[in-house]
Every structure is written in structure tokens, then in C-alpha cells.
Amino acid sequence: MNRKLVITKIEDRAVTAVLENEEVTELHVSDKRTEAHRVGNIYVGKVKNIVPNIQAAFVEIANGVECYYSIPQNPNPHFTQKIGKKPLCIGDELLVQIEKEAVKTKVPTVTSNLSFTGKYVVLTSGIKKIGISSKITGEKRKEMQEAVSAFQSEAYGFIVRTNAKDVPVTLVERELEELAKVYVRLLDISASRKVFSCLFEAPLMYLSNIRDIYQEGLTDIVVEEALFEEVEQYLKEEQPEDLQKLTCYADRQLPLYKLYSLESVISRALSERVWMKSGAYLVIQPTEALTVIDVNTGKCVAGKKDDGFYMKINLEAAKRGAKQIRLRNLSGIILIDFINMKSKERTKELLEFFEKELRKDPVQTILVDMTQLQLVEVTRKKVRKPLKEVISQEKG
């Protein structure tokens, strides 16, 4: 599979598109409201309130900017100033990192389990073990395990990412050393910093997308002239091995976003109805609690309406639905109402096919089960806002 990264601007928004075999599979649009306090930033926060019945606290990272903090999930906070003797007290100052953006009515989530993400490795103080992507197998896995073990520490652990699968171990070792230096340096300076100080600033979203995209098959990084200098500088400092893939697009007669019809792609990704080649269609409706995807036969009237007929539509819907979940950045609970079939064997085959399609998503996506009402339940990890929410907020 050939992957291409396109970074451009539409009006005053930075837009990143991931293309796989020339089809747009991911869209990331900058949200000016969250770029100031973006995922990955680390602050000296202050405990504003503690809510015992939900085992949570609310931590301020700036004046008036409160974040949700789970007490059970953060057993070892790093305090820069401790007020009382209890494990966590109002007024305590501690290091926190933004883990999830604000979504709908929910405030951002912060954690004391600090993570530093590289292209090949994630260093995290939340675990002290070494984890290696399941997609790294055989001799390469053994080689990677031996190399990374030399960097094991009581203060942090490492997760080797899928991107390390096809690169020399020396590149991974080099990144491990750099991330460890960043972590140690941050702890050293934290004791002398005032509350609300930002000690670590994550890259802008369109830059972090270069790091986080699946690297396998990535052949081109095409960047609009207005953003090119920043991207080039980022690659020189963080990913020099990818500089050869970088191209500056400077045709002002045909803007980059028009070349790839990104306005149309975004418009379709915001639409409630998604037509399929068969004439059937999906209806995608986000609600406050979950997202519902309904499969309809629509204009698809050919063929005898039996399990075989419905199976073809369901398979097409499974493939298109998985792509739409990724393209729209849907998250949380997702219910898919496929067309009911009598055959248990066909239903099982459909679920296996759908699960296979969902695994193509770089964001953790799990097919949970089919309910008694034959609704397929999927969960997708929440990190950033859905595309629709980003666009609607910026317009507002």
C-alpha cells in the first residue's frame, strides 16, 4: 500500500490528509481552540477541586482552564509543591500532561503518567516495563527486545511502535536516548517552575501527524508553500530520514487542497448520508452518548432479497463504515445496525470481515459483540475531537 501525506491550508485552518492508494482515509483539521492547550503538553497544574464519589479531581493548567484527573489511574503523581498529608489535596501542584482533548461537554483529561512520543518509541512513566508492537515479530522482535532492555529504568518504561518494524535498531536506540534525556531534563527543571508553567510543548497537530502516521508505504509528504518551512525544520530536527520524501507545492493557480478535492472530501465526511456503489447507503448520526450507523438498501433493488443479497450489502457497508469511522474520527461507543440475516454462519462471516477492516485503523478500535437486537457494538479510543465537532466549533 502506498501512503501519502498532504499538508495544506483551507482558509485559516491547517488540514492534514492521509492518502492510501490515492484515496483519502484520514482527515485532521486544526482546532484553534485546542492548539493552545493541545494533547501532549505538560504543565505544572494545581488541584482546584476533588470529587470523592467519582474518584476524580479537577486540575487547573491555566487560569480558568480546568481538566479532569482520575485519581485511581494516577497512583504516582510528581508533585512540585505538596500542601497536605493526604495523597491528593486541594492546592497541590503537580506535573500533568493533556491526554485527551475536550470533547463535546467534557473538559480535557490530564494524567500524571507522562509520555513522550517519538517516531519509533513512546517513553512513559506510567509503566516501567518494555512493550513491543505485536506487528514486530520473529528475529526482529528478539533483536529489538535485547536492544531496548539496555535502556530499562525504574523511572519509566518504553513501548516500541509499529513504525520500528522495518528500520535499523540503531535508529530506535538513538531515539530512546533522546527521549530519556527529555524526561530527565523536564523533572530537573520542574522544581523551580511556577504553577501553570508549560514545561513541554507538543508539536502542532499537522507536525505530530507526520510522526504518528503509519510509516509503512509512506512515499511522499506534500506540503503547501505557506507551511513548508515549518515542516522542513521539524523533519530536520526530529525525522531527518524523511526529508527525501518532502515536496513543496507552490502552484498558486491550483491550490493543493483543490488538487486533492479536500473541500469535497470534508463536505462528504460531514454529511449524514453516505451512498455506496450498490445503491445502498449508510446513515451516520452522532448523539451525545454514542454514534449510530444504520445500513439501508436504498436504491439497491437488483437480485432476490435473501440472505445472499443482504450479505453483499452488509459486506460493502462494513468496508465503507470502517473507512467512515476513521475518516470522521468517530470515537467512544459506535452502534452499527446491519441488515438482519437469518444465517448465523453469514452473520459470523460479516463480523469477522468487519473486524478485519477495523484493524486497518491506527487508532485502537474494538469490535465488542453483536447485541440481542443484532446491533454491532464498536468502541474506538477517544483522543481528538470528531471532525464534525472541530469544523462546527471553528465556524462558531
Side-chain angles (χ1 to χ4, degrees), residues 7-11 13-14 206 223-232 247-252 256:
I7 303 174
T8 184
K9 291 189 78 171
I10 299 179
E11 297 175 351
R13 298 192 297 259
Y206 65 86
V223 182
E224 182 177 310
E225 188 176 20
L227 300 173
F228 181 79
E229 190 175 330
E230 282 184 280
V231 173
E232 184 180 40
T247 303
C248 178
Y249 185 88
D251 187 343
R252 297 182 182 180
L256 188 56

Side-chain angles (χ1 to χ4, degrees), residues 45-58:
K46 188 173 187 177
V47 179
K48 181 76 177 292
N49 190 21
I50 297 175
V51 188
N53 62 326
I54 61 171
Q55 294 186 287
F58 287 90

Side-chain angles (χ1 to χ4, degrees), residues 13-16 26-31 205 262 265-271 324-331 380 384-394:
R13 298 192 297 259
V15 178
T16 304
E26 290 181 39
L27 277 171
H28 302 282
V29 179
S30 67
D31 182 346
M205 188 170 71
L262 294 184
V265 175
I266 291 173
S267 178
R268 290 195 297 270
L270 298 176
S271 175
Q324 287 295 315
I325 288 170
R326 182 179 173 188
L327 184 65
R328 296 170 185 237
N329 195 26
L330 302 177
S331 58
R380 188 170 186 264
R384 293 194 172 106
K385 295 178 182 179
L387 179 66
K388 187 172 185 177
E389 190 174 341
V390 173
I391 297 294
S392 62
Q393 278 197 349
E394 291 208 344

Side-chain angles (χ1 to χ4, degrees), residues 1-7 119-120 163 166-167 171 209-211 213-224 228 231-232 235-236 239-249 256 260:
M1 180 181 291
N2 291 324
R3 284 193 176 88
K4 182 185 292 184
L5 199 60
V6 173
I7 303 174
K119 182 179 176 182
Y120 307 115
N163 285 339
D166 299 314
V167 301
L171 277 180
N209 287 329
I210 302 172
R211 176 196 67 200
I213 182 181
Y214 274 3
Q215 299 294 313
E216 186 176 358
L218 181 63
T219 57
D220 297 280
I221 302 172
V222 185
V223 182
E224 182 177 310
F228 181 79
V231 173
E232 184 180 40
L235 289 179
K236 284 179 179 178
Q239 298 175 209
E241 66 275 13
D242 289 325
L243 275 168
Q244 60 184 5
K245 301 173 185 176
L246 183 62
T247 303
C248 178
Y249 185 88
L256 188 56
Y260 289 97

Side-chain angles (χ1 to χ4, degrees), residues 24-289:
V24 178
T25 57
E26 290 181 39
L27 277 171
H28 302 282
V29 179
S30 67
D31 182 346
K32 290 178 291 185
R33 301 188 186 194
T34 56
E35 281 287 89
H37 303 291
R38 53 186 172 270
V39 171
N41 282 11
I42 298 175
Y43 299 88
V44 178
K46 188 173 187 177
V47 179
K48 181 76 177 292
N49 190 21
I50 297 175
V51 188
N53 62 326
I54 61 171
Q55 294 186 287
F58 287 90
V59 177
E60 270 192 316
I61 58 172
N63 282 318
V65 181
E66 290 188 21
C67 303
Y68 175 85
Y69 178 88
S70 170
I71 296 173
Q73 293 178 15
N74 293 280
N76 301 304
H78 184 89
F79 293 103
T80 57
Q81 183 173 322
K82 190 78 180 72
I83 298 298
K85 295 181 180 179
K86 292 182 179 180
L88 194 67
C89 303
I90 293 175
D92 282 347
E93 296 177 12
L94 69 166
L95 294 184
V96 291
Q97 182 173 38
I98 299 181
E99 187 177 32
K100 296 177 184 177
E101 285 181 346
V103 178
K104 296 180 182 176
T105 58
K106 297 180 179 178
V107 298
T109 299
V110 292
T111 178
S112 289
N113 301 321
L114 307 182
S115 294
F116 299 85
T117 303
K119 182 179 176 182
Y120 307 115
V121 182
V122 178
L123 180 150
T124 174
S125 65
I127 61 170
K128 306 299 188 289
K129 298 180 181 179
I130 294 171
I132 297 178
S133 167
S134 60
K135 294 185 179 180
I136 301 176
T137 58
E139 288 300 317
K140 186 58 178 273
R141 187 179 186 86
K142 292 179 183 177
E143 183 185 12
M144 197 68 70
Q145 182 74 48
E146 290 177 6
V148 176
S149 295
F151 294 87
Q152 196 160 11
S153 165
E154 293 182 359
Y156 48 77
F158 293 108
I159 300 169
V160 180
R161 306 179 68 192
T162 303
N163 285 339
K165 184 162 63 81
D166 299 314
V167 301
V169 172
T170 51
L171 277 180
V172 178
E173 291 175 328
R174 190 184 310 156
E175 190 170 83
L176 283 170
E177 290 178 352
E178 289 303 315
L179 293 177
K181 287 178 183 177
V182 171
Y183 175 72
V184 171
R185 193 181 308 123
L186 183 136
L187 293 188
D188 285 344
I189 66 172
S190 64
S192 60
R193 294 301 176 90
K194 295 179 179 179
V195 68
F196 303 155
S197 296
C198 181
L199 304 188
F200 178 82
E201 193 169 357
L204 292 165
M205 188 170 71
Y206 65 86
L207 297 175
S208 63
N209 287 329
I210 302 172
R211 176 196 67 200
D212 293 336
I213 182 181
Y214 274 3
Q215 299 294 313
E216 186 176 358
L218 181 63
T219 57
D220 297 280
I221 302 172
V222 185
V223 182
E224 182 177 310
E225 188 176 20
L227 300 173
F228 181 79
E229 190 175 330
E230 282 184 280
V231 173
E232 184 180 40
Q233 187 61 33
Y234 175 80
L235 289 179
K236 284 179 179 178
E237 294 175 2
E238 304 293 337
Q239 298 175 209
E241 66 275 13
D242 289 325
L243 275 168
Q244 60 184 5
K245 301 173 185 176
L246 183 62
T247 303
C248 178
Y249 185 88
D251 187 343
R252 297 182 182 180
Q253 298 298 315
L254 180 64
L256 188 56
Y257 68 88
K258 287 191 178 294
L259 178 66
Y260 289 97
S261 304
L262 294 184
E263 283 181 312
S264 297
V265 175
I266 291 173
S267 178
R268 290 195 297 270
L270 298 176
S271 175
E272 186 176 275
R273 185 169 294 194
V274 179
W275 287 98
M276 298 186 290
K277 290 182 180 179
S278 63
Y281 63 90
L282 307 177
V283 177
I284 303 176
Q285 296 178 317
T287 71
E288 191 69 28

